[in-house]
Structure formats: structure tokens, C-alpha cells
Amino acid sequence: MKNHYPIVIVGGGQAGLSLSYCLKEKGFDHIVFEKNTIGYSWRAKRWDSFCLVTPNWQCKLPGYHYFGDEPDGFMQKEQIVQYIEDYAKSFAPPIKEGVEVLSVRKLSSQGGFALTTTIGEYTADIVAIASGSYHLPKIPLISQKLDKSVVQLHSSQYKNPQSLPNTVLVVGTGQSGCQIAEDLHLAGKKVHLCVGSAPRSPRRYRGKDVVEWLDRMGYYDLSIDEHPQKDQVRAKTNHYVTGRDGGREIDLRQFALEGMQLYGSLHNISDRYLHFQGNLQQNLDGADAVAESIKKTIDGFIDKNQIQAPIEPPYQPVWQPETVVAQLDYHRVEIEAVIWCTGYQSDFSWIEIPVFDDKGYPTHDRGVTAQEGLYFLGLPWLYTWGSGRFSGIARDAGYLCDRIVASQQLLQSIT
Ligand SMILES: Cc1cc2nc3c(=O)[nH]c(=O)nc-3n(C[C@H](O)[C@H](O)[C@H](O)COP(=O)(O)OP(=O)(O)OC[C@H]3O[C@@H](n4cnc5c(N)ncnc54)[C@H](O)[C@@H]3O)c2cc1C
């Protein structure tokens, strides 16, 4: 192997592969370094029954749109991994698996970058970081106060109900928390769930999947600059909904009717007690209000465009909390495992170039940083809603590829 490449892509997930595809199409020499294997995050960091929340038709990798017979379905974990592996096979990217990039530095004398990897030192004119954004489990410090006998894991480590004891506490109700709680609940486990402030989305409404309505309404083309919340939208928790069994809503109130124990947010642990905030009612109502507001927006679109669509009856909450539970003796109710569905934090500490804000987030404009030749790809809302997902990565990879090509042409015209 040579030790200089014009372009190095760090990460062989869907983002890194997409950029590799675009560069290869234009005949640009490059290499992809992947710490693990192609599609590793989908294979290793998702639970057994995991399936996409976004419909299959949104899997639009550059040059490789979903072509199966269930465009409105939701691929299961193995199918997602297969889709990405098949994508790689379809264009044979120049990828080195099992190679971690340990550091990226600016070369001081001339332009370009120095990379230390697990197989040696490299230099590159251009570096594109496509290492994902869900790097480190975010687990609150109060977790350390739990009794040692309680099994603790993060959502990225959860695999299946069989591997856990009978009574489980799930903390957090983002997409992962709700789906994991449901997975355990359906398997007959006794589930205690701390409900946070995550919003909820309807699945189908007025005859179509909500994603299809939002697509028609142009939501997925809305850039971050046009979004009313601007940069702040990047930190927002995803709406909970599921693709399981062909796709359906998640209604935590229904789970409660079926025996799941719901509480407000977990705010402390002391001795043998879990302490909750008194916000269960507020969080359930808040999630419902978001779901209703999505429906209202769709109603407005339907009216404005005079679309024929069936009318749906208004949502009726099937359960209300009767009392506010402030604390729970977790030994008494025999909680033996806790799953922290409390999110992730990104870790770009190995990039020794000052392009980060005080929270460690790379400052960029559509993935282009102030450091010439350094790019990011695949981050949530890098440019649109789909940037950190299957649906928008082709657009972002195409854009970065064009920027890279333009920068190289400029360089050639100068030299
Ligand atoms: C629980 C969960 C559910 C999701 N559900 C959906 C969904 O339904 N639909 C949807 O469209 N999106 C979904 N996403 C979002 C997104 O599609 C995935 O996070 C996807 O994995 C992002 O692809 P990526 O290529 O950007 O990052 P990743 O898939 O994480 O790939 C990054 C790669 O970089 C490698 N890497 C990291 N650091 C280095 C290094 N220093 N050197 C070399 N290699 C490195 C990693 O091994 C990894 O393979 C979900 C995300 C999560 C966490």
C-alpha cells in the first residue's frame, strides 16, 4: 500500500461508502479506512429485532436505491446490513477494513494532512470524516448509585429480551427507549419505563405513512438554514414511532393499560430508591400534542392542495396516570436490569485540528469546514433532516464530491 492518498475517507458506513461511490464515478483516487467492517454500526449496535423507522423507499444510497418488493416496508437489521454490504459489492470501493484512524493532523510545512492509523502513517491532501455521530453511550452519573447486583447496559448494547432478567427498567423514551421497552413488553417481561420529553409521531395518517406526507410537503428538502430552529434542531430528540410489524404508532398509554409501569423522568437514585420527576402526565401530553400538531400540518396541506384523503377520528388517550409516583423501591419491585436509552455523544477528539465548537461539534457549512481539505459527512442535520439518515446522504455525498472535485480542479489550474 502507498502511504499518500489524494483523498482519505474515515468510516465505511453508509456515509463513507456514498462519498466513495461519488468519487469513484468521477475517477478520483481515494481510500476508505474502516475501523471495523462495512455496515458495522447497524450490525453491532442494534438489537436483534431492530428494524428501520423510515420506510425502505427512503433508502436511496447514490447509485443504489432500494429495489426490493416492499418499498413501504421497514427493513429488519439483517436486511439493512445486507443492503449496505450489497451496495459496497456493487461498486467495489477502495476500502481497508479493520483500520482505525487514530489521529488526523494538519501537515505544518505543506498543505494536506497526516494520519496515524493502526497500520501506520499516511498523508492525504483531503480528509473526509464519515465516522458517524453515535460514538459514546451517554449514561447519567446517577447510574453509579445503583446496586452492583443490577445489570446495566446502554441501548447500543441491548440485544434481546432472553438475555435479560424478568423485570427491567428502561430509562428514556426516544426512539430506542420506546422500541426496546416494547420489545421487552411483547416478550412478557415486566417493564418499568421512565418517560422523558421525547416527541411522538403518528405512523399512518389519512391513508398514508406520515413520512410520505412529509416528503410530499417538502420537509425533507428543508435545509437547516431554512429550519425555524436553525442549528438547535441538531440536538433535538427524534420522534418515537416504529417500523415493527410493517410499521405502527407507539402509544405508551396503551402499554400502561397492558401492564407496563410508567414514571416521570428519572432524576436521582439513593439507597434503594429511584426518584422520579412529577412530569409523567406532562410528558405524555407533550408527546401527544406533537403527534397532533403533525396531523394538523398534514390536514393543512391536504386542504390547501384539495387532496382526496380519508378523514380520521381524533386521537383519544386510552390511559391517564392516576397518581404521581415520586419514588420506587427498586429491590421491592425486583428490578434486576436497567437499560439506559439516554442517547449518545460524539467523539472527534482524535481530529487534532481546531474546527470544533466548545461542545466538540465540528463547525461546518454543509460539511465543508474552515480548514481547507477537511470535510464531514453523515452528521444529523448536516444539511437536511436526511443527512444523518439513509434518505439524505446521497445529496450530501454528491455535494461534497462536487466541492472536492472543484477544489482539485482549482489546484490543477494554479499549478
Ligand atoms: C438506534 C438508531 C436507529 C436508527 N434508525 C434509522 C432509521 O430508521 N432510518 C435511517 O435512515 N437512519 C436511522 N438511523 C441513523 C443513521 O442511518 C445511522 O446512524 C447510520 O449508521 C449512520 O451512518 P454513517 O455512515 O454516518 O455512520 P456509521 O454507520 O456509524 O458508520 C461510521 C463508521 O465509521 C467507523 N469509524 C468510526 N471511527 C473511525 C476511525 N477513527 N477510523 C476508522 N473508522 C472509524 C465505524 O466503525 C463505522 O463503521 C438510526 C440510528 C440509530 C443510532
Side-chain angles (χ1 to χ4, degrees):
M1 260 178 91
K2 32 189 200 178
N3 61 7
H4 177 82
Y5 286 91
I7 306 164
V8 169
I9 299 172
V10 185
Q14 70 219 26
L17 292 176
S18 296
L19 182 58
S20 176
Y21 175 88
C22 297
L23 290 169
K24 206 170 167 193
E25 283 278 285
K26 304 243 175 193
F28 271 75
D29 185 20
H30 65 282
I31 184 102
V32 183
F33 286 134
E34 164 54 53
K35 174 160 72 163
N36 298 289
T37 50
I38 287 170
Y40 168 82
S41 296
W42 291 109
R43 191 184 301 105
K45 294 190 180 172
R46 312 281 183 265
W47 53 96
D48 295 352
S49 68
F50 179 90
C51 54
L52 287 178
V53 166
T54 51
N56 296 336
W57 62 262
Q58 278 205 329
C59 292
K60 300 188 281 197
L61 296 179
Y64 205 75
H65 290 200
Y66 173 84
F67 54 84
D69 49 12
E70 287 189 282
D72 296 323
F74 304 88
M75 279 192 272
Q76 293 183 341
K77 177 177 157 171
E78 303 309 325
Q79 297 169 304
I80 306 165
V81 173
Q82 190 68 51
Y83 173 62
I84 294 180
E85 286 178 349
D86 288 349
Y87 180 47
K89 279 192 200 123
S90 75
F91 72 98
I95 186 166
K96 269 263 159 204
E97 292 174 274
V99 178
E100 180 175 3
V101 176
L102 301 168
S103 73
V104 182
R105 304 170 306 282
K106 183 88 192 76
L107 276 174
S108 47
S109 47
Q110 62 270 52
F113 303 91
L115 296 98
T116 301
T117 78
T118 45
I119 54 164
E121 301 294 324
Y122 289 85
T123 54
D125 303 322
I126 288 171
V127 175
I129 309 293
S131 60
S133 18
Y134 306 108
H135 300 131
L136 306 173
K138 212 172 13 172
I139 299 181
L141 283 175
I142 51 168
S143 60
Q144 294 169 6
K145 299 187 191 173
L146 274 173
D147 195 286
K148 295 278 173 286
S149 63
V150 178
V151 176
Q152 295 192 50
L153 55 158
H154 181 256
S155 56
S156 56
Q157 299 164 311
Y158 170 71
K159 292 295 166 217
N160 52 49
Q162 306 86 277
S163 53
L164 289 177
N166 279 334
T167 307
V168 183
L169 173 73
V170 176
V171 183
T173 47
Q175 270 183 15
S176 295
C178 288
Q179 290 175 57
I180 289 172
E182 181 183 50
D183 197 38
L184 294 162
H185 178 65
L186 292 176
K189 299 283 175 187
K190 178 72 196 165
V191 180
H192 297 258
L193 178 65
C194 295
V195 178
S197 58
R200 178 167 85 76
S201 171
R203 177 79 271 173
R204 289 185 68 79
Y205 184 59
R206 300 195 63 181
K208 293 190 192 313
D209 194 286
V210 162
V211 174
E212 190 177 333
W213 283 123
L214 293 178
D215 186 51
R216 283 184 174 209
M217 289 157 64
Y219 181 69
Y220 301 125
D221 293 324
L222 185 76
S223 74
I224 185 146
D225 301 330
E226 296 159 336
H227 196 285
Q229 294 172 13
K230 300 269 184 281
D231 293 8
Q232 285 175 6
V233 72
R234 290 188 173 130
K236 295 279 171 200
T237 311
N238 288 323
H239 298 66
Y240 62 82
V241 59
T242 184
R244 194 166 176 150
D245 301 330
R248 52 183 151 78
E249 279 186 34
I250 292 184
D251 186 350
L252 300 180
R253 298 179 196 267
Q254 181 61 35
F255 291 162
L257 267 189
E258 293 164 7
M260 194 185 287
Q261 298 294 319
L262 307 189
Y263 310 94
S265 317
L266 181 67
H267 80 94
N268 204 358
I269 300 170
S270 65
D271 191 15
R272 46 194 296 146
Y273 290 97
L274 306 169
H275 300 270
F276 309 109
Q277 286 177 19
N279 57 9
L280 174 59
Q281 178 83 59
Q282 182 190 325
N283 289 346
L284 290 173
D285 290 349
D288 289 345
V290 173
E292 290 309 293
S293 77
I294 294 173
K295 290 182 187 173
K296 270 211 173 74
T297 313
I298 295 171
D299 288 338
F301 176 76
I302 288 173
D303 289 348
K304 190 170 158 214
N305 293 283
Q306 298 183 348
I307 298 168
Q308 294 298 318
I311 305 286
E312 297 211 1
Y315 171 76
Q316 295 292 344
V318 292
W319 179 87
Q320 297 289 358
E322 280 167 14
T323 49
V324 176
V325 180
Q327 62 178 42
L328 178 72
D329 178 341
Y330 65 89
H331 285 306
R332 186 181 59 75
V333 296
E334 297 175 350
I335 289 173
E336 293 173 291
V338 176
I339 308 178
W340 297 99
C341 301
T342 36
Y344 293 82
Q345 64 191 57
S346 47
D347 176 17
F348 297 111
S349 56
W350 47 279
I351 302 167
E352 300 169 16
I353 299 169
V355 291
F356 298 94
D357 67 14
D358 55 356
K359 293 195 177 78
Y361 181 80
T363 45
H364 64 84
D365 179 18
R366 282 190 83 171
V368 180
T369 71
Q371 173 60 61
E372 201 183 323
L374 182 66
Y375 302 93
F376 283 83
L377 185 61
L379 306 178
W381 276 101
L382 179 121
Y383 179 55
T384 62
W385 178 89
S387 289
R389 298 178 170 90
F390 276 115
S391 69
I393 197 64
R395 172 169 26 204
D396 291 357
Y399 176 78
L400 279 196
C401 179
D402 289 346
R403 290 292 299 245
I404 291 170
V405 171
S407 73
Q408 294 303 95
Q409 282 166 347
L410 182 68
L411 205 66
Q412 277 163 10
S413 69
I414 296 168
T415 51

